[in-house]
């Protein structure tokens, strides 16, 4: 069987990371028909928008996409293409596993946390405006029963399907009584339907401290959109950093796989950054497609290369200027060679 997949190279370091990932995925023996679609600042001139409708149509048709990061101007300019894709296609669950691999230099070993971030509302609804230009601005944070219910259900279903023990709902319901109060009360209701999985909740600021001090006590976390974005970067820092943190945006029918990290524009075109996060996002895509054997092959090969610590990028070496660090494509080559060796 050949899988037709929408492939969005993105910008900044995106195209080189997606190319490395495409090569690794093809080396598993699974065959793909890549439907390449461009989005981001570079297509503005041609289409008048950074997210042409053809890109969304392609994902709707193929049902699955693999995406490189896309730059969003800070404080001005067009709204995030990444957020727009998730919202337009109702990819409501952002799954971000943070799992320790042997060979990673980090504060802890054996951390294994899965962040489930709500992906369609909260502060990312982007409803904001100037009240008095230059003096005051306001934004609206939307939390609904429907979105809270389905994201917490997703977290419990994921926990059940993957043999996890506990779901922790993370919130700021002490201060945001209406919005996070609703999220928390819905989470408590949903938890009652899953007596086989433990449930608890934490206030987000305390959660950050707990994760830094006792990450092993946590399993699956479910959070509203902004908290999920921030806490998932924190969790990636516990297991080697953004270079190794994969992600998936999942809806009822469609899914788009992309790393947690952004476009790291200062390294664009240098064949320097770590392809692991994008390759492991591809591995999550293989699992989603039901290609378990190929997914295991990629995951084991990545683990073997990182455990050996030789053919890895600068961010995985003892110092950032280690002369033995290899480039993006060379690390992908080593992963392909490790797959072949098995
Ligand atoms: P970033 O993730 O691009 O970079 C943050 C830090 O992590 C940098 O030090 C960078 O060098 C490092 N890093 C990132 N990816 C790495 C990799 N593969 N290997 C090694 N190190 C890596 O975040 P930023 O600088 O805050 O954002 C840059 C741009 O990316 C912004 O325009 C932002 O909006 C965008 N962004 C896009 C997405 C997405 O496409 N889903 C996600 C986050 C940020």
């Amino acid at each position: 069987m050949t899988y037709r997949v929408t492939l969005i190279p993105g910008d900044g370091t995106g195209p080189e990371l997606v190319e490395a990932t495409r090569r690794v995925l093809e080396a598993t023996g699974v065959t793909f028909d890549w439907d390449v679609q461009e989005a981001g600042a570079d297509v503005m001139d041609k289409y008048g928008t950074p997210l042409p409708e053809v890109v969304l149509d392609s994902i709707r048709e193929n049902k699955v996409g693999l995406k490189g990061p896309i730059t969003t101007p800070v404080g001005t300019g067009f709204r995030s293409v990444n957020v727009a894709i998730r919202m337009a296609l109702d990819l409501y669950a952002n799954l971000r596993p943070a799992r320790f691999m042997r060979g990673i230099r980090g504060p802890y070993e054996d951390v294994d946390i899965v962040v489930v971030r709500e992906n369609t509302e909260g502060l990312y609804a982007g409803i904001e405006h100037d009240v008095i230009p230059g003096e005051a601005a306001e934004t609206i944070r939307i939390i609904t029963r429907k979105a809270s219910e389905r994201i917490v259900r997703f977290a419990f279903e994921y926990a059940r399907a993957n043999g996890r023990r506990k779901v922790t709902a993370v919130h700021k319901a002490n201060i945001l009584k209406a919005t996070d109060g609703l999220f928390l009360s819905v989470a408590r209701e949903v938890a009652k339907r899953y007596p086989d999985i433990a449930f608890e909740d934490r206030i987000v600021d305390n959660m950050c401290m707990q994760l830094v001090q006792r990450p092993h006590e946590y399993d699956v976390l479910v959070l509203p959109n902004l908290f999920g974005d921030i806490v998932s970067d924190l969790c990636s820092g516990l297991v080697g950093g953004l270079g190794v943190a994969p992600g998936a945006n999942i809806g009822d029918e469609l899914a788009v796989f992309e790393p947690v990290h952004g476009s790291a524009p200062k390294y664009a075109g240098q064949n320097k950054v770590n392809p692991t996060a994008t390759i492991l996002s591809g591995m999550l895509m293989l699992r989603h497609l039901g290609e378990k054997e190929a997914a295991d092959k990629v995951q084991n090969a990545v683990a073997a290369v990182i455990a050996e610590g030789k053919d890895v990028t600068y961010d995985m070496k003892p110092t950032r200027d280690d002369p033995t660090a290899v480039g993006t494509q060379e690390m992908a080559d080593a992963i392909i060679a490790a797959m072949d060796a098995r």
Side-chain angles (χ1 to χ4, degrees), residues 9-179:
D11 57 28
T13 53
E16 53 203 286
L17 293 168
V18 167
E19 173 58 13
T21 301
R22 187 189 60 74
R23 293 197 298 111
V24 170
L25 294 180
E26 287 179 356
T28 62
V30 174
T31 53
F32 296 95
D33 171 15
W34 302 109
D35 180 6
V36 179
Q37 297 289 339
E38 304 289 342
D42 295 347
V43 303
M44 286 281 279
D45 290 346
K46 197 162 154 206
Y47 294 96
T49 165
L51 180 58
E53 199 57 30
V54 289
V55 180
L56 296 173
D57 285 343
S58 162
I59 301 168
R60 286 187 188 108
E61 198 184 314
N62 298 326
K63 312 262 183 265
V64 58
L66 178 67
K67 177 186 161 298
I70 295 175
T71 307
T72 311
V74 176
T76 173
F78 60 81
R79 289 183 57 197
S80 165
V81 172
N82 314 304
V83 173
I85 291 174
R86 297 165 192 160
M87 289 197 179
L89 301 176
D90 203 25
L91 305 173
Y92 59 85
N94 190 188
L95 185 70
R96 295 181 156 183
R99 188 170 180 218
F100 174 80
M101 289 179 278
R102 203 161 55 80
I104 280 174
R105 264 163 266 273
Y108 299 103
E109 295 200 344
D110 302 329
V111 171
D112 185 4
I113 296 169
V114 176
V115 173
V116 176
R117 164 192 178 192
E118 202 292 321
N119 226 4
T120 60
E121 58 176 27
L123 280 166
Y124 286 69
I127 304 168
E128 57 173 11
H129 63 114
D130 289 334
V131 178
I132 306 166
E135 297 295 332
E138 66 183 7
T139 188
I140 296 177
R141 182 172 188 265
I142 295 176
I143 299 286
T144 63
R145 168 172 289 277
K146 180 185 166 203
S148 303
E149 212 269 342
R150 66 183 180 177
I151 196 64
V152 178
R153 197 163 16 92
F154 182 96
F156 275 99
E157 289 293 333
Y158 178 90
R160 198 175 257 176
N162 292 276
R164 319 285 303 211
R165 296 160 291 107
K166 182 168 77 170
V167 171
T168 306
V170 186
H171 59 85
K172 190 75 186 176
N174 52 331
I175 303 299
L176 303 169
K177 292 179 193 294
T179 50

Side-chain angles (χ1 to χ4, degrees), residues 67 69-72 82 86 258 261-264 267 273-274 314:
K67 177 186 161 298
I70 295 175
T71 307
T72 311
N82 314 304
R86 297 165 192 160
E258 62 175 339
H261 65 70
S263 54
Y267 296 125
V273 291
N274 193 337
Y314 74 101

